[in-house]
Amino acid sequence: MITIEQLSKVYHSKGKSVIGVDDVTLNIDQGEIYGIVGYSGAGKSTLLRCMNVLERPTSGIVRIDGIDLMSLSPKELRKARQSIGMIFQGFHLAMSKTVLENVAFALKASGVGRKERRKRAEELLVLVGLDDKANQYPAQLSGGQKQRVSIARALANNPKVLLCDEATSALDPNTTKSILKLLQEINRELGLTIVLITHEMEVVKEICDRCAVMEEGRIVEQGSTYDIFAYPENELTKRFIQTVIDFQIPEEQLVKSQGTIVHMTITGELAGESIVSDLLQHHDIRGNILHGKIDYIQNQALGMFVMELTGDRSEVERAIGTLHDKLEEVEVLQDAGTADQSMARAE
């Protein structure tokens, strides 16, 4: 559906060059929700604007539904953009127009007649749950309601793609969840391809099928959302995941510990098995869970646990070997020897 090949965007100002997007290649499938996450200045919003050529790339290829947007004339590009809806953090509503008029305005620009505009706008307000707000003005709405109007307006011309630029970052957590749920429903009901720009990994975890992590204009990691959470490789990705699933053990706890501390990731069907209890039954060791959680991403279980194992050192090592045999991700955060040294320093 969306193909980005070796795309770069370079800005020139006062004799200096600033790279906004640096040699990015992405493939986004029809009907999926794709997240692009990064901190401020990572280039993610610039990349999004390049997707509909609101920002013209310096080099590279942008294809949407098989159409090379870079090769189109200005008139052809305007027509092609009708199949690409876009919503923003700041809503961008006309304050002097009613909710209904805001939605209908997008159709007026496309040459749709008055009666058809009104009918389509009313249908969209039902879709986003605002049919009772049709005659109100944006100033009378909450932030979440304003974003729903923006979504309805973006859907007016039956787009194939919806681009969302930090669409939930100005909203409180509960409102964010309701907007994300709405986007999921629209994705399922309309088969719409959604690209979601965000700096919040929780948003990615909530609804994205696949995602990419951006830093300094480049994609540093990409894959299915589940795999990104289960097997992160890049340090930036790991930091983002820690904002959602934080398993950092306080230094005070590490100093107190006299055992071996192990972090384990349990994926898929294994998350429903008795890995920990079986380990303690088959090895002459004691186990103390310091941190643990089973989460669900893309309807798949993902378990993460931090345990302190104590007992004979050789038996602990055999237990860790058993974990390595069963699980793909096992990391010793502190072994008993390190713990002994920490205790000595503390004394």
Side-chain angles (χ1 to χ4, degrees):
M1 164 52 75
I2 302 175
T3 301
I4 307 294
E5 295 180 6
Q6 296 180 310
L7 187 144
S8 293
K9 175 64 181 179
V10 182
Y11 297 95
H12 300 282
S13 177
K14 298 180 180 179
K16 295 183 178 180
S17 296
V18 177
I19 299 174
V21 178
D22 189 3
D23 194 30
V24 165
T25 294
L26 280 179
N27 287 289
I28 300 172
D29 297 332
Q30 166 68 41
E32 78 173 334
I33 302 178
Y34 196 97
I36 301 175
V37 64
Y39 290 121
S40 178
K44 55 191 187 298
S45 292
T46 300
L47 174 60
L48 192 77
R49 290 194 297 271
C50 285
M51 287 185 187
N52 60 2
V53 199
L54 284 176
E55 292 271 6
R56 192 162 190 87
T58 305
S59 61
I61 295 172
V62 180
R63 289 195 188 93
I64 293 185
D65 202 22
I67 298 173
D68 182 357
L69 298 188
M70 298 284 285
S71 68
L72 300 181
S73 67
K75 182 179 179 180
E76 291 170 332
L77 184 57
R78 285 193 295 272
K79 182 174 177 60
R81 285 198 186 113
Q82 291 180 11
S83 67
I84 308 169
M86 192 162 187
I87 59 175
F88 305 88
Q89 175 183 347
F91 316 129
H92 292 190
L93 301 177
M95 302 303 287
S96 61
K97 295 183 183 293
T98 66
V99 165
L100 186 72
E101 289 168 343
N102 264 281
V103 178
F105 183 74
L107 292 161
K108 184 177 181 180
S110 302
V112 178
R114 182 186 296 270
K115 287 185 179 180
E116 191 175 345
R117 289 202 304 267
R118 183 178 183 87
K119 181 182 177 183
R120 174 65 175 158
E122 288 174 344
E123 291 172 350
L124 288 168
L125 289 180
V126 171
L127 178 66
V128 300
L130 287 181
D131 46 308
D132 61 333
K133 307 292 183 185
N135 296 315
Q136 294 189 10
Y137 289 86
Q140 298 172 281
L141 305 179
S142 67
Q145 290 169 336
K146 289 176 185 176
Q147 195 59 284
R148 286 173 181 264
V149 177
S150 296
I151 292 170
R153 183 184 58 189
L155 297 175
N157 287 297
N158 294 304
K160 298 176 181 178
V161 174
L162 182 62
L163 306 180
C164 308
D165 191 4
E166 297 280 9
T168 61
S169 62
L171 307 176
D172 64 75
N174 286 335
T175 305
T176 291
K177 282 186 176 293
S178 71
I179 292 297
L180 294 178
K181 183 178 179 182
L182 174 61
L183 291 174
Q184 275 186 311
E185 291 170 354
I186 289 169
N187 168 257
R188 285 195 299 264
E189 292 179 20
L190 305 181
L192 202 63
T193 302
I194 298 177
V195 182
L196 208 158
I197 296 295
T198 182
H199 63 273
E200 299 170 292
M201 203 65 181
E202 180 67 42
V203 170
V204 173
K205 171 180 168 289
E206 197 74 22
I207 67 167
C208 293
D209 302 305
R210 293 192 298 142
C211 65
V213 181
M214 284 194 75
E215 183 178 33
E216 297 181 348
R218 285 183 166 270
I219 300 294
V220 296
E221 192 163 358
Q222 59 181 302
S224 78
T225 301
Y226 187 89
D227 287 345
I228 290 291
F229 271 83
Y231 315 112
E233 297 179 359
N234 186 272
E235 286 303 315
L236 176 62
T237 307
K238 292 176 182 178
R239 292 202 299 273
F240 267 117
I241 290 171
Q242 284 176 5
T243 65
V244 180
I245 307 174
D246 186 7
F247 286 95
Q248 296 296 309
I249 304 301
E251 184 64 29
E252 293 82 358
Q253 179 63 45
L254 293 176
V255 170
K256 291 178 183 177
S257 172
Q258 299 183 51
T260 297
I261 298 178
V262 180
H263 179 280
M264 65 189 83
T265 301
I266 309 176
T267 59
E269 294 181 357
L270 287 174
E273 296 185 9
S274 53
I275 301 290
V276 173
S277 61
D278 287 351
L279 185 76
L280 299 181
Q281 285 180 14
H282 291 93
H283 294 276
D284 186 19
I285 58 172
R286 293 187 302 278
N288 178 29
I289 294 179
L290 304 179
H291 215 319
K293 182 180 183 182
I294 293 181
D295 218 325
Y296 289 87
I297 300 171
Q298 297 177 291
N299 296 318
Q300 297 182 75
L302 176 63
M304 293 189 181
F305 296 89
V306 178
M307 286 188 64
E308 179 186 24
L309 305 178
T310 57
D312 182 80
R313 186 175 182 83
S314 62
E315 190 65 18
V316 169
E317 289 176 354
R318 281 194 290 272
I320 292 172
T322 298
L323 289 176
H324 277 292
D325 290 340
K326 289 191 172 184
L327 307 175
E328 292 186 46
E329 294 290 323
V330 178
E331 180 184 4
V332 176
L333 303 181
Q334 175 177 284
D335 65 25
T338 305
D340 292 341
Q341 294 169 18
S342 298
M343 288 295 291
R345 287 196 300 270
E347 292 171 359

